[in-house]
Amino acid sequence: MLINASTKLCCLIGCPVAHSVSPQMHNAAFKALGLNYVYLAFEVAVEDLEKAVRGLKAIGVAGFNVTIPHKINVMKYLDELDESAEETGAVNTVASEDGLLIGYNTDVYGVMKALEGFNLPKTKPALIIGAGGAARAAANALMKIGFNEIVIANRTIEKARQLADWIKSTGRKAHFHSLDRLGYIARGCGVIINATSIGMLPHANETLLTSKDIPENSIVLDLVYNPPKTKLLREAERAGAKIISGIEVLIHQGARAFELWTRCKAPIDVMRKAVLAALEAEYRESSS
Ligand code: NAP
């Protein structure tokens, strides 16, 4: 890749960002299409967010991703929000359009694409474990797909109640629970989405559900993507459920961002290959 005075900048801002594989995913995609873009990751502390966003705008950034802990706070420094960000109340992608910074939530699209092609049991309730930003994006995706009943289970019950209230405000049915009776709740659901960080490396042997609580023929999506096949997904497979790795969400949210920044069709297979190679390299490094 030749970096020169015309190279366009895309980046990630968050804290921490060291383990992100988005630079590998996007740079592989730019290279595959011969686009003069580069993607970097910047660690931005909470107190520096406004300065960072204004600085990126001033230097003419093409676009950027936003991760923990800035997905909500970044909204007040943007010029406009698209429908996905407005509805979800969080931004994970910003695109510069005619000099204005527009906020999007491409996690919603990522979850919808990851579930595409499965025979989704929409007449049964769907379960989301977690009530943070990713859970909110997952809930929005499920509603857009046509689910009318969503159960939220979260460690902090107040946050589960808030998410359930938002779902109810759109006219759908929603219930909220703590994690106490998660197994019992899961047994009645057709789609199960883990939107907590449980199971992520270095705690790859943790899961909130085991095979005895996962219905056969249910569809289980784990938003955790490192490792690609989490303990939850292994338990789900043992139960006879269909499984979807968080990698699919990562790739599709990234593909949508790539298309917003470049107006070119994202090379999905290149992006998937780059993500898997980056995760494998990280795993080898951590276990050596
Ligand atoms: P967040 O807003 O910080 O929410 C974290 C959620 O995890 C909360 O519901 C939290 O519960 C729960 N949690 C954390 N530690 C827990 C524990 N020890 N026991 C039980 N619950 C726990 O984070 P987020 O942005 O929603 O992200 C959640 C996960 O999704 C992360 O692993 C993230 O990497 C992943 N994600 C993946 C993609 C993708 O592309 N695949 C996209 C977005 C997010 P409390 O409310 O009780 O704190």
Side-chain angles (χ1 to χ4, degrees):
M1 201 154 53
L2 176 70
I3 293 180
N4 58 23
S6 308
T7 303
K8 291 188 177 156
L9 173 68
C10 294
C11 64
L12 169 68
I13 58 170
C15 191
V17 294
H19 292 284
S20 171
V21 294
S22 290
Q24 291 93 319
M25 175 171 75
H26 284 294
N27 287 320
F30 295 146
K31 191 174 171 195
L33 297 197
L35 296 170
N36 193 3
Y37 281 66
V38 67
Y39 187 107
L40 302 173
F42 297 115
E43 192 149 309
V44 174
V46 170
E47 60 273 21
D48 292 329
L49 179 63
E50 180 174 5
K51 277 186 277 175
V53 174
R54 300 215 188 284
L56 287 170
K57 186 176 179 183
I59 62 169
V61 71
F64 55 99
N65 287 127
V66 185
T67 189
I68 291 172
H70 304 313
K71 285 185 175 182
I72 293 171
N73 286 338
V74 75
M75 293 195 292
K76 54 180 179 277
Y77 307 123
L78 304 178
D79 298 302
E80 280 174 37
L81 297 177
D82 111 309
E83 190 190 83
S84 62
E86 193 108 52
E87 286 169 352
T88 312
V91 160
N92 78 321
T93 298
V94 177
S96 175
E97 294 168 24
D98 299 324
L100 297 179
L101 295 182
I102 318 291
Y104 295 84
N105 192 308
T106 68
D107 285 337
V108 178
Y109 173 84
V111 172
M112 290 173 75
K113 286 297 280 186
L115 291 171
E116 205 175 84
F118 288 86
N119 190 11
L120 299 172
K122 292 185 197 165
T123 51
K124 285 189 176 173
L127 168 64
I128 298 174
I129 312 168
R136 220 175 148 88
N140 198 6
L142 288 174
M143 292 192 285
K144 284 183 186 295
I145 289 168
F147 280 85
N148 281 313
E149 188 170 2
I150 299 175
V151 186
I152 307 295
N154 193 48
R155 178 177 62 179
T156 309
I157 194 145
E158 178 53 23
K159 281 173 70 184
R161 188 186 62 75
Q162 283 170 13
L163 183 47
D165 281 351
W166 172 58
I167 296 166
K168 278 190 216 158
S169 75
T170 71
R172 278 92 168 182
K173 280 194 207 161
H175 317 272
F176 64 95
H177 299 272
S178 68
L179 298 178
D180 292 350
R181 293 164 66 236
L182 189 62
Y184 172 77
I185 295 161
R187 274 176 252 151
C189 293
V191 169
I192 298 171
I193 300 180
N194 175 41
T196 74
S197 46
I198 299 285
M200 191 162 71
L201 278 171
H203 305 290
N205 266 328
E206 292 180 5
T207 178
L208 290 167
L209 288 172
T210 56
S211 57
K212 68 179 188 337
D213 296 318
I214 300 172
E216 193 183 357
N217 299 324
S218 62
I219 292 159
V220 180
L221 165 60
D222 198 338
L223 292 186
V224 170
Y225 59 82
N226 194 9
K229 196 191 260 190
T230 58
K231 169 99 166 153
L232 170 67
L233 294 185
R234 284 184 273 132
E235 292 288 331
E237 210 168 41
R238 191 169 306 139
K242 294 187 183 69
I243 62 167
I244 310 168
S245 169
I247 283 194
E248 293 307 309
V249 178
L250 177 72
I251 292 163
H252 287 292
Q253 65 75 30
R256 177 87 184 106
F258 180 94
E259 290 172 0
L260 288 166
W261 300 331
T262 66
R263 308 270 163 207
C264 295
K265 189 157 174 42
I268 297 279
D269 290 342
V270 170
M271 293 169 90
R272 181 177 289 110
K273 216 169 134 188
V275 165
L276 290 171
L279 292 177
E280 204 179 301
E282 194 185 314
Y283 178 71
R284 260 189 277 112
E285 204 174 296
S286 68
S287 52
S288 67

